Amino acid sequence: EFVRGLQYQHFDIKSITERLTGTIDAKIASHALVKGDSTISELVFINQDMSEEERAESVIPPDNELLSALREAPRVIQREFIFPLEEGAHFTRHIYETGGFETINKAYLNPPQSTEQILHPEKYEAGDIPFKVPVTDPSSALGDEWTVDLEDTLGEFLLQAYLEATTGPELALTATEGWGGDTVLLLDGPDDKSALILRAVWDTVSDAEEFFNLFASFTHARAGGTWEILEKDTPSILLKLPEEVALLMIMENTTLAIFAPDETILNTINSVTH
């Protein structure tokens, strides 16, 4: 907490955060830099400036009630809570080892743009920024009562965290490593109807296929039902459920997922966004 105060004293954290909060992904990445910096600063101080006796006295026993509450939370909530502390610390440790605190200071002037850069510090160093993935708004084709409730970027970390809930961390990590950019659109309609579109671009065709296959397994585990292979020019599968239908497509290094309340709405969305 003391380091957090120093961060706000020496860097315009508020402006940095506001500038990067255009997407969920960038906001999480910015938070990971700040939390990671304070974690590394604490560890360096403990190891360099404290005696063994002082280190032993500084250890705070874990709060069992808090740990229990965290374990009972959905997997994605657990991961979002831990991400700035673990992956954020890994990121700042990497850049600290290349040039000490001066390198971390420079990161505030050129903050990470995505959680992909946090997860893979070498991509931050290479200036690998996310693709802007266009998704056509289908609300006008659906009717006047349909509106866009959310347009955002989930990013590599959140996609990974969602998949982990049913597939496990190792498979989720492999399936999302080649993330290049995404856009998610959440639509609200009449009678509490809603639809969701997720278009993602991947580094390679193989990366897109890995995500396609695991996302299909994830959706089946979450909702049940059986995927139906469609006879189309592009690989496409359809899942029909009592109150929802889902379409998953792959076009070279791009994947498209659409969730809608019925096939008529899904086909309308697909005709506009595909």
Side-chain angles (χ1 to χ4, degrees):
E1 293 303 317
F2 185 79
V3 173
R4 188 71 179 270
L6 291 173
Q7 289 171 333
Y8 276 85
Q9 179 180 340
H10 291 277
F11 304 104
D12 193 354
I13 302 293
K14 184 178 180 181
S15 294
I16 293 171
T17 303
E18 288 176 350
R19 190 169 72 248
L20 291 175
T21 52
T23 69
I24 295 172
D25 187 47
K27 181 178 180 179
I28 296 173
S30 173
H31 189 46
L33 169 63
V34 175
K35 276 287 188 182
D37 176 20
S38 60
T39 301
I40 290 300
S41 299
E42 177 182 356
L43 293 174
V44 169
F45 177 76
I46 288 171
N47 291 324
Q48 291 185 358
D49 298 284
M50 295 177 72
S51 66
E52 288 187 22
E53 188 176 64
E54 288 172 329
R55 287 181 204 137
E57 290 178 356
S58 72
V59 174
I60 300 173
D63 186 326
N64 291 328
E65 188 176 343
L66 178 61
L67 288 174
S68 177
L70 181 63
R71 292 190 187 106
E72 291 174 4
R75 177 67 179 174
V76 68
I77 301 298
Q78 294 181 39
R79 290 289 287 116
E80 193 169 354
F81 178 80
I82 294 170
F83 181 80
L85 301 171
E86 289 194 351
E87 282 88 345
H90 170 76
F91 171 80
T92 51
R93 183 179 66 186
H94 177 88
I95 59 177
Y96 173 81
E97 289 173 349
T98 64
F101 282 113
E102 186 59 34
T103 314
I104 296 178
N105 292 345
K106 289 179 180 177
Y108 284 100
L109 303 176
N110 180 32
Q113 304 291 305
S114 66
T115 55
E116 178 191 42
Q117 292 186 339
I118 297 293
L119 290 164
H120 311 283
E122 68 280 2
K123 294 192 174 186
Y124 168 75
E125 294 169 335
D128 186 350
I129 61 175
F131 287 107
K132 291 185 177 180
V133 181
V135 174
T136 303
D137 175 7
S139 56
S140 58
L142 292 171
D144 294 337
E145 294 183 273
W146 284 87
T147 58
V148 174
D149 184 59
L150 173 74
E151 182 174 359
D152 217 316
T153 296
L154 295 179
E156 180 176 344
F157 162 66
L158 273 185
L159 288 174
Q160 184 187 120
Y162 277 112
L163 290 174
E164 281 182 15
T166 61
T167 65
E170 291 185 9
L171 288 175
L173 177 66
T174 301
T176 55
E177 269 184 334
W179 181 88
D182 75 68
T183 294
V184 61
L185 228 65
L186 179 62
L187 300 154
D188 283 340
D191 304 319
D192 292 327
K193 292 179 180 178
S194 64
L196 184 140
I197 307 164
L198 172 64
R199 183 188 290 273
V201 174
W202 305 89
D203 293 341
T204 67
V205 173
S206 177
D207 291 326
E209 290 172 347
E210 284 181 339
F211 178 79
F212 177 92
N213 292 329
L214 197 65
F215 193 78
S217 298
F218 162 79
T219 305
H220 168 74
R222 179 184 67 86
T226 302
W227 285 105
E228 171 190 344
I229 299 175
L230 301 180
E231 297 293 332
K232 291 196 172 189
D233 296 335
T234 56
S236 309
I237 53 178
L238 181 71
L239 183 67
K240 297 179 182 178
L241 300 167
E243 297 181 356
E244 184 181 47
V245 289
L247 175 67
L248 186 57
M249 305 176 67
I250 181 170
M251 300 149 283
E252 295 184 346
N253 68 328
T254 300
T255 55
L256 175 67
I258 303 173
F259 295 84
D262 57 56
E263 285 191 74
T264 301
I265 293 172
L266 183 143
N267 291 332
T268 301
I269 293 173
N270 187 36
S271 67
V272 174
T273 58
H274 179 201

